Amino acid sequence: MRAIRLTLLLALAMTLPGCGEDPKPPASTNNTIPKDPALAQIYANSCQLCHANPSANAPLTGDRKAWEPRIQQGADTLLDHAINGYNGMPPMGQCVECSEEQFLQLIGFMADQPLPQ
């Protein structure tokens, strides 16, 4: 009788992880890199340190929900923040050689959505 109870208890315990909400995917796609090799290098050297690190309090790469209010501000505002810095983001996002076009491409990549013009 004890063996049956133990077996039933183990069977019940194995089904519990399936209960409740579906697991949420991680907010960051920090293992994703831009397809363009030059942008991938810039992302790895300048952006990834903060935008793939939840403790940095920067919007994480691929976290569309976190990026949405920023995207709604428009490309000009996002570009201004990237070039001049904003809150904890350093000026030029630690990429002094980046062009405006590269910044816009990187922001679009990290936001995982197109930038409104």
Side-chain angles (χ1 to χ4, degrees), residues 24-30 60-64:
K24 295 179 182 172
S28 173
T29 56
N30 58 10
L60 296 175
T61 299
D63 185 349
R64 295 184 77 148

mmCIF file of all heavy atoms in Angstrom, residues 24-30 60-64:
data_model
loop_
_atom_site.group_PDB
_atom_site.id
_atom_site.type_symbol
_atom_site.label_atom_id
_atom_site.label_comp_id
_atom_site.label_asym_id
_atom_site.label_seq_id
_atom_site.Cartn_x
_atom_site.Cartn_y
_atom_site.Cartn_z
ATOM 1 N N LYS A 24 7.365 31.989 -19.929
ATOM 2 C CA LYS A 24 7.591 33.131 -20.805
ATOM 3 C C LYS A 24 8.984 33.032 -21.405
ATOM 4 O O LYS A 24 9.931 32.666 -20.711
ATOM 5 C CB LYS A 24 7.450 34.424 -20.012
ATOM 6 C CG LYS A 24 6.029 34.624 -19.513
ATOM 7 C CD LYS A 24 5.907 35.878 -18.711
ATOM 8 C CE LYS A 24 4.482 35.997 -18.198
ATOM 9 N NZ LYS A 24 4.305 37.072 -17.280
ATOM 10 N N PRO A 25 9.113 33.378 -22.672
ATOM 11 C CA PRO A 25 10.439 33.361 -23.264
ATOM 12 C C PRO A 25 11.279 34.480 -22.668
ATOM 13 O O PRO A 25 10.736 35.476 -22.191
ATOM 14 C CB PRO A 25 10.178 33.604 -24.755
ATOM 15 C CG PRO A 25 8.864 34.294 -24.789
ATOM 16 C CD PRO A 25 8.092 33.795 -23.605
ATOM 17 N N PRO A 26 12.583 34.328 -22.673
ATOM 18 C CA PRO A 26 13.422 35.394 -22.139
ATOM 19 C C PRO A 26 13.228 36.662 -22.953
ATOM 20 O O PRO A 26 13.007 36.621 -24.156
ATOM 21 C CB PRO A 26 14.850 34.846 -22.273
ATOM 22 C CG PRO A 26 14.753 33.749 -23.274
ATOM 23 C CD PRO A 26 13.364 33.226 -23.214
ATOM 24 N N ALA A 27 13.301 37.792 -22.280
ATOM 25 C CA ALA A 27 13.099 39.068 -22.960
ATOM 26 C C ALA A 27 14.231 39.374 -23.929
ATOM 27 O O ALA A 27 14.047 40.038 -24.916
ATOM 28 C CB ALA A 27 12.999 40.187 -21.930
ATOM 29 N N SER A 28 15.377 38.912 -23.639
ATOM 30 C CA SER A 28 16.534 39.251 -24.452
ATOM 31 C C SER A 28 16.846 38.166 -25.466
ATOM 32 O O SER A 28 16.758 36.992 -25.184
ATOM 33 C CB SER A 28 17.755 39.449 -23.558
ATOM 34 O OG SER A 28 18.903 39.626 -24.333
ATOM 35 N N THR A 29 17.218 38.634 -26.620
ATOM 36 C CA THR A 29 17.733 37.711 -27.631
ATOM 37 C C THR A 29 19.231 37.961 -27.722
ATOM 38 O O THR A 29 19.777 38.150 -28.791
ATOM 39 C CB THR A 29 17.061 37.938 -28.998
ATOM 40 O OG1 THR A 29 17.244 39.306 -29.368
ATOM 41 C CG2 THR A 29 15.596 37.600 -28.965
ATOM 42 N N ASN A 30 19.873 37.996 -26.548
ATOM 43 C CA ASN A 30 21.264 38.414 -26.483
ATOM 44 C C ASN A 30 22.218 37.500 -27.246
ATOM 45 O O ASN A 30 23.362 37.840 -27.423
ATOM 46 C CB ASN A 30 21.732 38.589 -25.035
ATOM 47 C CG ASN A 30 21.581 37.322 -24.236
ATOM 48 O OD1 ASN A 30 21.310 36.254 -24.763
ATOM 49 N ND2 ASN A 30 21.758 37.442 -22.933
ATOM 50 N N LEU A 60 16.302 45.574 -23.329
ATOM 51 C CA LEU A 60 17.032 44.420 -23.829
ATOM 52 C C LEU A 60 16.783 44.201 -25.319
ATOM 53 O O LEU A 60 15.686 44.446 -25.829
ATOM 54 C CB LEU A 60 16.628 43.172 -23.057
ATOM 55 C CG LEU A 60 16.977 43.188 -21.573
ATOM 56 C CD1 LEU A 60 16.423 41.945 -20.890
ATOM 57 C CD2 LEU A 60 18.467 43.309 -21.356
ATOM 58 N N THR A 61 17.793 43.742 -25.984
ATOM 59 C CA THR A 61 17.686 43.426 -27.397
ATOM 60 C C THR A 61 16.583 42.401 -27.599
ATOM 61 O O THR A 61 16.561 41.362 -26.948
ATOM 62 C CB THR A 61 19.021 42.875 -27.927
ATOM 63 O OG1 THR A 61 20.021 43.877 -27.752
ATOM 64 C CG2 THR A 61 18.933 42.494 -29.389
ATOM 65 N N GLY A 62 15.660 42.725 -28.493
ATOM 66 C CA GLY A 62 14.569 41.820 -28.808
ATOM 67 C C GLY A 62 13.346 41.956 -27.924
ATOM 68 O O GLY A 62 12.328 41.335 -28.189
ATOM 69 N N ASP A 63 13.398 42.775 -26.884
ATOM 70 C CA ASP A 63 12.259 42.960 -25.984
ATOM 71 C C ASP A 63 11.369 44.064 -26.562
ATOM 72 O O ASP A 63 11.480 45.238 -26.212
ATOM 73 C CB ASP A 63 12.730 43.318 -24.581
ATOM 74 C CG ASP A 63 11.593 43.409 -23.571
ATOM 75 O OD1 ASP A 63 10.411 43.403 -23.981
ATOM 76 O OD2 ASP A 63 11.902 43.490 -22.366
ATOM 77 N N ARG A 64 10.485 43.665 -27.455
ATOM 78 C CA ARG A 64 9.646 44.629 -28.171
ATOM 79 C C ARG A 64 8.810 45.481 -27.219
ATOM 80 O O ARG A 64 8.595 46.664 -27.468
ATOM 81 C CB ARG A 64 8.751 43.906 -29.159
ATOM 82 C CG ARG A 64 9.563 43.237 -30.267
ATOM 83 C CD ARG A 64 8.663 42.621 -31.256
ATOM 84 N NE ARG A 64 8.157 43.736 -32.074
ATOM 85 C CZ ARG A 64 7.849 43.643 -33.338
ATOM 86 N NH1 ARG A 64 7.955 42.499 -33.946
ATOM 87 N NH2 ARG A 64 7.404 44.682 -34.003
#
